[in-house]
Amino acid sequence: MSQDFTKDLIWAELEKYAKKQIDSGLSNDEIQAIIEAIGTGKIATTVIEQISNDCISSIYRNMYERVMIERNKTAKFIIHNEQLWQSGFVTSEMMYLIVVESAEAYCKIFDELTDDQKRERQYRYTVLRELHGRACQEFLEILCLLKSGFADGAYARWRSMYELSIVSQFIWQNDETVAKAYYEESFADGKEYEWAKVAPCFVGKKSVTFRMIQQQCDMATDQWQKQYRLSCKVLHAAPQGTFARLGSPANVKVVAIGHSDYGIATPAINSAITLAIISSLFFNFLSSGDGTVYSYVTTKWLEKVRERYSEIEKSCFNGNDATTY
């Protein structure tokens, strides 16, 4: 059993106090009565308070040195992770640029419509544009987490992207009434999916859940719903998300507490697929040849993203050899 230094110090303090009382001429019974009156708990609290204060002082004195050492370790890991997954990360970054630049050009198409044409589709366009912008930002957040070796954090973040893709399709396949309700709900404080009750498929429903919206969308296949349920377990305190983390190989018996180069491919590919879906919905909202091209380019580039991450995972992790820090 390892030594308990705190208990040793408490006993030492008690012995020191008792010796002092013996030297003053008190009997053992008198000393025992004094200690009981004072309370061993009070003596222990005094010792613990002093130890913790000394610890804080020491930690504060060495704070910058310790943190710089840890930062250096983190920097070394990130360099290693970048070298390992570099071609995958580069294809993801290029996908982000493709989608953002395409979106900027696509918005100009809407700006050139007549006032009447804009009024006919203003809410759907506005909502799809904002959902697409949010998806782009979350894709970039996921990429930052992956570069730092946080596969589980990236997968939990992908959960939000998936929800954006479902809402995007639901808005896309319904009329202006639904999009307007979604937009106006941003100024209210109602239930999360209260806005969806105006959709024809939910007429008469007292409430609407994400699952109900998901069931109305073709993209919510069994495979994607399985992935979504897993991401929920990763996000919440579920046993599966605790003992079967993406960044921890099954054959490595350590408690992951930081960065890992393992498990990067799944959230990287899932987020790229989801971004492509949301982008295609947005780019195909207006009847535009350019929008169709933007959609095709995004989808074709997606295959390069999938290819690179899959190849790296297969070539580097067949034996589950992960580097963690």
Side-chain angles (χ1 to χ4, degrees), residues 273-289:
I273 294 172
T274 307
L275 181 61
I277 290 171
I278 297 171
S279 296
S280 293
L281 289 168
F282 181 48
F283 296 152
N284 287 301
F285 171 62
L286 301 173
S287 180
S288 165

Side-chain angles (χ1 to χ4, degrees), residues 200-219:
C201 58
F202 296 136
V203 171
K205 298 290 184 182
K206 290 183 177 180
S207 63
V208 177
T209 64
F210 176 76
R211 182 178 179 83
M212 293 167 66
I213 295 175
Q214 190 176 219
Q215 290 171 344
Q216 299 296 319
C217 300
D218 296 337
M219 70 175 64

Side-chain angles (χ1 to χ4, degrees), residues 255-276:
V255 178
I257 60 168
H259 313 272
S260 172
D261 61 9
Y262 192 76
I264 301 294
T266 297
I269 293 173
N270 280 12
S271 60
I273 294 172
T274 307
L275 181 61

Side-chain angles (χ1 to χ4, degrees), residues 34-315:
I34 292 172
I35 291 176
E36 288 177 356
I38 296 173
T40 56
K42 184 176 180 180
I43 295 173
T45 300
T46 301
V47 172
I48 291 172
E49 185 72 23
Q50 184 59 51
I51 293 172
S52 61
N53 287 339
D54 291 344
C55 286
I56 292 297
S57 297
S58 176
I59 291 169
Y60 190 77
R61 283 195 305 271
N62 299 295
M63 174 175 64
Y64 287 99
E65 180 183 354
R66 290 291 307 280
V67 169
M68 291 305 142
I69 291 171
E70 291 304 305
R71 284 187 181 183
N72 185 50
K73 292 179 182 178
T74 298
K76 288 180 178 179
F77 170 83
I78 290 175
I79 290 171
H80 156 78
N81 203 40
E82 284 272 9
Q83 290 174 338
L84 181 63
W85 293 97
Q86 182 182 41
S87 62
F89 291 155
V90 170
T91 56
S92 290
E93 289 176 83
M94 192 65 241
M95 182 172 187
Y96 172 81
L97 293 174
I98 289 169
V99 167
V100 169
E101 291 173 5
S102 297
E104 289 173 348
Y106 185 74
C107 288
K108 293 178 181 177
I109 297 173
F110 181 82
D111 292 340
E112 293 172 358
L113 297 178
T114 66
D115 290 342
D116 287 341
Q117 289 173 325
K118 289 178 180 178
R119 274 192 295 271
E120 290 172 358
R121 48 181 67 82
Q122 61 178 334
Y123 286 107
R124 278 187 297 167
Y125 169 77
T126 299
V127 170
L128 289 173
R129 182 193 64 197
E130 294 299 320
L131 288 168
H132 182 259
R134 185 176 173 185
C136 290
Q137 185 178 53
E138 290 185 3
F139 181 79
L140 201 56
E141 291 172 7
I142 289 169
L143 187 55
C144 286
L145 287 166
L146 293 175
K147 287 181 177 180
S148 294
F150 296 120
D152 291 273
Y155 199 53
R157 198 71 185 109
W158 169 76
R159 176 181 182 267
S160 177
M161 277 195 78
Y162 174 77
E163 291 175 353
L164 292 179
S165 71
I166 294 299
V167 173
S168 292
Q169 183 178 359
F170 190 74
I171 294 294
W172 189 87
Q173 67 192 23
N174 278 284
D175 60 18
E176 281 284 281
T177 305
V178 176
K180 183 180 179 182
Y182 181 90
Y183 174 76
E184 291 180 343
E185 187 62 33
S186 66
F187 304 103
D189 192 26
K191 294 182 180 179
E192 192 172 1
Y193 298 106
E194 189 78 10
W195 55 271
K197 288 168 61 176
V198 302
C201 58
F202 296 136
V203 171
K205 298 290 184 182
K206 290 183 177 180
S207 63
V208 177
T209 64
F210 176 76
R211 182 178 179 83
M212 293 167 66
I213 295 175
Q214 190 176 219
Q215 290 171 344
Q216 299 296 319
C217 300
D218 296 337
M219 70 175 64
T221 61
D222 291 342
Q223 181 183 2
W224 279 119
Q225 290 186 54
K226 182 179 178 180
Q227 290 282 317
Y228 177 69
R229 288 193 296 271
L230 177 59
S231 71
C232 292
K233 292 173 181 177
V234 169
L235 178 64
H236 300 299
Q240 296 88 341
T242 301
F243 292 98
R245 284 181 272 174
L246 289 182
S248 303
N251 66 336
V252 178
K253 303 303 180 182
V254 296
V255 178
I257 60 168
H259 313 272
S260 172
D261 61 9
Y262 192 76
I264 301 294
T266 297
I269 293 173
N270 280 12
S271 60
I273 294 172
T274 307
L275 181 61
I277 290 171
I278 297 171
S279 296
S280 293
L281 289 168
F282 181 48
F283 296 152
N284 287 301
F285 171 62
L286 301 173
S287 180
S288 165
D290 287 347
T292 303
V293 170
Y294 301 150
S295 177
Y296 268 62
V297 169
T298 301
T299 303
K300 288 179 181 293
W301 188 260
L302 168 63
E303 294 309 310
K304 295 190 178 295
V305 176
R306 298 174 72 161
E307 177 184 289
R308 293 310 305 133
Y309 283 104
S310 297
E311 286 179 357
I312 295 169
E313 185 174 57
K314 184 178 179 180
S315 63

